[in-house]
Every structure is written in C-alpha cells, then in structure tokens.
Amino acid sequence: MTSFAPDSIVLNRKLPLWYQVSQSLRASILGRSPHDPLRLPTEEQLAGHYGVSVLTMRQALKELEDEGLITRHRRRGTFIEPDALRGAPVRLLGSVDAIVAQQSGMTTELLGHGPAPVPSALAAYFPDLTETAAYHRLRADEKTGEPTNHARNHVRPELAERIDPQDLVRWPMTKVLRDVVGADISRITDTVEARLADPETARLLRVPLLSPILHYTGVTYDSAGKVLDVAVIHYRGDRFSFTVTLDAH
C-alpha cells in the first residue's frame, strides 16, 4: 500500500522537536488532497524523514492520535482519520509550522485578489509602499459548509508576482510564501482581540450583526525585519478559542 508523503521542515533547535514534527505532520494531513493515501510511513521512516529519533517521532504521533487525526493499529500501521474533526481550537504556539497547521484543514474560497492601496491601519507595516497585493478568502467547515473565518492578506508586490492564486485555495498563505515562493520567513507576530461583527463580516460568516468575533492580525517578517505579509482574519466567536503556550526555558 502506498503511504502518505508528508512535507519536509527545517527544525528549530530552540523548540521541542516532537512539537515541531507534530505540527508539520498535522499541517500536511489537514492540507492533503482527497486522493492522497491514508496510510502513514512507519515510525522509523518518519523519524528518518524529519531527522529525529524514533522516540521523538512516537511522541509527535501520540499528539496527533490524542487529537483524533490518526489511528494506530499494531502490525497494520498508522492511518489518517478521513473524517477527523477539522474545527479544533486555534493554537498559537511557537513555530511557523504551527501557524501553517492552525490555518489548514478547511475548504477555502478565493473571493478576490489584485493590487490594492495599503489600508491606513496597516500603513506602519509598509512604510515604503502605497500599494500591496491583496487576497480575500473565505474558509468553511469541510463537512457542513458553515463559514468559520474570512481572511485578507496584504503581501509585498514582489512576492505576489510569484504566487499562483489557486495555491491559496489549497494551502495557507504562510505555506505558500515559505514553500512555494521561497520567502525568507524569520518570525510571525500574532495579535488577537474581541470585536463585534460589522455588516460585511456578519454576512460572510452568517452571524447576527454585532455578534462577537475574534479579530486576528498576523504579521510576517523576514530576517532583516521587513514585513512580507499582514493577515487580518475574522473568526466566528462561537467556533474558535485561542490557547497560548509560553516556554519558560
């Protein structure tokens, strides 16, 4: 039987390896094509793929098993759960792959894209630009079709020239920038605050006007400190929670 092939990552030695591997594998699973195999490679093969020990790989797989994304059968192997719940809480943790994972696993509709003036609220992030490439997407629960969030990304024009908009239907912007465009992503800062749904957000997310939503701003920087992308996402307040984990070491 052919095995599912996960993406590769560059590990950050400052973060727990099992966590980074679990988030990368989670993003691969949630972003897979419906025609991809459900069987995962063996623990030994996955450990070799990620360059970690079998013990670390086992811990990463247990995390995914506890989440219900995979099932493990003695002698038969490890399999992706095709009907696994995709609406898990968004987790703001410590790696780029965690950001990719939190954005994966939903159906995505590209509502529009093209050049757009830099919004005044984001002008401080793009002091050298008057215009960015803007992408507007609506994400929905894969099973029910219920809208869960809508996102607007403002990307530097020189990066947008290398983006195929159809890639954004399958993958999150962070993954496209890093793995397709080859952008130098050094860090991402996340800000979350409570807001009330304005008329457009209420219409897109199918919630009452002025109902609670989560307003998320994610700013992606390169190693020189230049902003590459600003994502503004509105999440339905009744569908998401945010968990922040801080490493004291």
Side-chain angles (χ1 to χ4, degrees), residues 216-249:
Y216 164 94
T217 304
V219 185
T220 301
Y221 298 84
D222 67 10
S223 55
K226 181 170 66 176
V227 173
L228 307 178
D229 164 52
V230 178
V232 178
I233 308 176
H234 289 156
Y235 292 93
R236 282 182 55 154
D238 60 345
R239 292 298 306 273
F240 286 94
S241 64
F242 285 77
T243 300
V244 180
T245 297
L246 301 177
D247 187 351
H249 301 288

Side-chain angles (χ1 to χ4, degrees), residues 19 168 198:
Y19 166 71
L168 295 174
D198 58 33

Side-chain angles (χ1 to χ4, degrees), residues 128-197:
D128 58 328
L129 298 176
T130 58
E131 188 176 81
T132 63
Y135 299 86
H136 188 197
R137 287 164 297 153
L138 180 67
R139 299 189 183 103
D141 184 279
E142 196 171 64
K143 286 185 176 180
T144 66
E146 181 181 54
T148 57
N149 67 86
H150 75 92
R152 279 191 172 87
N153 288 79
H154 295 269
V155 181
R156 297 191 69 87
E158 64 269 24
L159 297 177
E161 291 175 357
R162 289 176 274 160
I163 294 177
D164 181 346
Q166 288 308 306
D167 283 343
L168 295 174
V169 175
R170 180 178 181 187
W171 295 314
M173 177 65 81
T174 305
K175 179 176 177 63
V176 172
L177 287 174
R178 185 189 66 177
D179 298 342
V180 179
V181 174
D184 168 29
I185 296 179
S186 175
R187 62 188 171 93
I188 300 173
T189 63
D190 300 306
T191 303
V192 183
E193 57 186 301
R195 294 269 183 101
L196 299 179

Side-chain angles (χ1 to χ4, degrees), residues 9-29:
I9 60 170
V10 176
L11 295 172
N12 181 344
R13 297 291 164 177
K14 295 181 180 180
L15 296 170
L17 297 181
W18 68 266
Y19 166 71
Q20 295 179 72
V21 169
S22 70
Q23 291 301 306
S24 175
L25 188 52
R26 182 181 189 276
S28 294
I29 289 172

Side-chain angles (χ1 to χ4, degrees), residues 111 136 150 152 197-205 209 234:
L111 299 179
H136 188 197
H150 75 92
R152 279 191 172 87
D198 58 33
E200 181 191 30
T201 298
R203 176 180 61 81
L204 288 172
L205 298 185
L209 183 65
H234 289 156

